[in-house]
Amino acid sequence: TVPRRIVHLWTVTSEAPADPVNPQVNPQMVELAFYSLLGHVQALAGRGGEAAVELAVVSTGVQTIDGREAVWPEKAALLGPCKVIPQEYPNLRTRAIDVVLDGAEAPAEVAARLIAEMRGESADRIVAYRGPNRWVQSFEPAPLGPPVDDKLPLRPQGTYLITGGLGGLGLVFARYLAASFQARLVLTQRSPVPPRDQWADDTSVKIRQLRALEELGAEVLVEQADAADETAMRRAVAAARERFGRIHGVIHAAGIAGGGVIQLKERATAAAVLEPKVQGVRVLESVVAEEPPDFLLLCSSITALEETVGQVDYCAANNVLDAFARYFRARWPQTRTVSVNWGPWSEVGMAVAAARSWDAGPPAEPRGEEIGHPLLERLVTSGEQATFAARLRAADHWVLSEHRILDRPTVPGATYLEMARAAVTKRSGSSEVELADILFMIPLAMNDDEEREVRTVLEPSGEGIGEGFGEGYGFRVMSLLPGSEEQWVEHVRGRAAPRVAAEPRTWDLDELIARCSERTLETEPVSESSDSLVAVGPRWHSVKRIHLGTDEAMARLELGEEFAADLDVMHLHPALLDVATSLGRGLAEWKDYLPATYRRVEFRRPLPPRFYSYVRRHGAPGKGEVLSFDVTLIAEDGTELVAIEEFSMKRVGEAAARFAEPIEVTTAPGVGSSSSLDRTLATIGIAPDEGVEALRRILSRHPAPQIAAVAGDVALFPAPR
């Protein structure tokens, strides 16, 4: 039998962490913190069964409460499994509990407190005890004012070492240092680079980027060195000091994207992800310790704060980087050290690389119960977690063939709402569904002849959406990268719940039309932006009349008779929903917006061929990077069909205009050619100039040792739990 509760104590050490001024590294810490948990869970899952299991991971030296406690940074690798395990194994519930064994309390007292914690029903996932005080981890907005140039730890012609220097983020920062400070740049990367005397004749993208840095006034030294290889890094640092002298700043941007579920995760695969960040930062500490730099920037990821399926190793590696930032603050107080949890970038970085498609054959046919829905097709797994699978292809699915971003078939955001609705209805039997906190991540763009396996996953959330609802779910929609057996890209996430049927609200259509009487248009292709970023097919041309008022609009929509059969299965028709919500662009001073989030969607009745959309601006008017609206879809008899609260759109006009031109190395470091998917990522990602601005603010303001940097308003992103 499988125990109901398991206590993992491998990262509890009786001795205090090493003195930060004189560190003593324990090479077994990653083994104890990460691989032991990985092996335990793989063995546990191999026993089968879906019984609920509580896994308490107890540690010492992982958390710091007052910023002065010494930590074992490598132990923070346990946070990766603790965060990801429940996402991949719905029956496993984890809790990370950090304690202190310093002799101030008797061991029996600490043990009693731990037993009480493990028996409790708290939803807190990361806990720290300091004596009788119980602390839980939380995050709060940290807006930083404009950069203070005279407080930047950057020098004209300063020497800066960037690991992963020829990667996307590394080149963005290198370009900034070159253009603004004519810096001496030391760029390391694992693969070889031709000698400097051969650059003039080399036409590769990397060499063109390096030449561009020199044209901006930089001196560039490129060294082949794996960040985790101390011998190679010592050689690179020695070469840098011989040529330039002291190294004034270090940016640790080396890393490999993770991928793959825990049950199939092999040690070698995880090690390849962990080593550049975990071992790499220890190597950096060793090779620059004799002369610590002015600043040390650790490029972590928002993945460290999230709970993402298939990212257990990458989540662990970045949590270690975050812990190292706290460690270095104590070890080198004169060095400005910060770990930045970067969100996805729009033109460079791992999100872009992972989202690109390659020509490859289709994945193996998934087995499961036939669903009869074109966007779900089959129920692949059941139990507490339900996974629906479909294989999408532009030739077979109009949501792709009739919706193109920069001439590439791209799933419209409204499609994911229909997928979640249909999944919850199938799972619960309820015809009324509520969706909440919907966040669009990476667009699903495909080639015309490409086929992609797409999965919609429902996971019990353990919390309801509100009164009048059934059991709540978290939902995610992911796709399998062509040519990969386990590399999944997440496109959207949110919460969902079946709704108890009730009489819907009724609206007075004449009154609403009278409110929107400033201007009337007979028709308008509302889903196409002025710069042709988006091109749509006939199902999108459904607007028959628009009534515009002050901060509100009313429109009549009608689906062509030839498409009426769509509504038999697609009760939240993606094209109609996309058009109905896009009416808000008519109320904006700018027109170039694409969907970003939905706060709440109440689905009460299937959409008929003809209905009205009533849109109201949410919040103050004016130009903004993000606009929000409330939208109500109403039947011809006044019955409320769908109510949407805070539908937000992000402006992409300037980015779209920029991306319409071929991307040259002088405008987009790290990108050799412009793919349409790279360009669509601008709707959700950090643009290079935004990333540089964030860097300047962080370095000049010297905030906490860990800070997350994401594009858009903080409210658009889910808070870590």
Side-chain angles (χ1 to χ4, degrees), residues 302-467:
I302 198 71
T303 305
L305 310 183
E306 297 178 327
E307 303 163 350
T308 305
V309 171
Q311 294 290 324
V312 64
D313 41 15
Y314 196 58
C315 181
N318 286 293
N319 271 285
V320 171
L321 279 190
D322 299 337
F324 263 108
R326 298 187 289 273
Y327 162 81
F328 281 124
R329 282 283 179 105
R331 173 154 164 68
W332 293 333
Q334 74 278 22
T335 297
R336 296 191 187 184
T337 302
V338 63
S339 181
V340 183
N341 300 106
W342 295 108
W345 287 54
S346 61
E347 299 174 25
V348 298
M350 293 182 183
V352 174
R356 288 178 179 144
S357 297
W358 299 272
D359 293 330
E365 183 77 8
R367 300 178 180 179
E369 174 191 350
E370 294 284 345
I371 299 301
H373 192 289
L375 301 176
L376 301 183
E377 294 185 357
R378 294 174 177 82
L379 176 60
V380 178
T381 62
S382 57
E384 288 192 359
Q385 174 179 294
T387 302
F388 300 83
R391 286 165 59 174
L392 301 188
R393 183 183 175 89
D396 302 324
H397 294 83
W398 58 261
V399 294
L400 283 163
S401 62
E402 289 191 27
H403 186 268
R404 308 176 75 88
I405 295 182
L406 292 169
D407 201 35
R408 194 174 186 199
T410 305
V411 173
T415 305
Y416 301 118
L417 275 63
E418 167 59 11
M419 296 167 78
R421 179 214 63 80
V424 173
T425 295
K426 173 65 179 178
R427 188 69 171 159
S428 66
S430 174
S431 61
E432 298 192 18
V433 172
E434 180 139 335
L435 310 175
D437 300 329
I438 300 157
L439 171 66
F440 297 114
M441 312 280 283
I442 295 176
L444 174 47
M446 299 167 57
N447 299 320
D448 282 290
D449 59 349
E450 182 183 341
E451 188 169 68
R452 187 80 68 91
E453 182 177 350
V454 179
R455 296 198 171 184
T456 303
V457 181
L458 294 181
E459 302 164 335
S461 65
E463 58 184 15
I465 282 184
E467 292 186 12

Side-chain angles (χ1 to χ4, degrees), residues 26 72 97 125 137 211 233 283 299 402 428 440 483 555 557 609 683 713:
N26 184 340
W72 292 100
I97 310 168
R125 298 280 304 282
Q137 187 183 60
R211 291 203 302 262
M233 286 298 298
V283 167
C299 290
E402 289 191 27
S428 66
F440 297 114
L557 280 70
T683 64
D713 294 337

Side-chain angles (χ1 to χ4, degrees), residues 249-301:
V250 176
I251 299 176
H252 185 35
I256 297 174
V261 295
I262 292 172
Q263 199 60 28
L264 301 178
K265 181 70 64 179
E266 296 182 354
R267 184 187 182 94
T269 304
V273 175
L274 288 162
E275 286 178 358
K277 290 181 178 285
V278 178
Q279 180 64 15
V281 73
R282 275 297 186 193
V283 167
L284 276 176
E285 176 189 24
S286 176
V287 299
V288 302
E290 62 186 58
E291 198 172 16
D294 298 336
F295 76 89
L296 172 59
L297 179 77
L298 305 177
C299 290
S300 182
S301 166

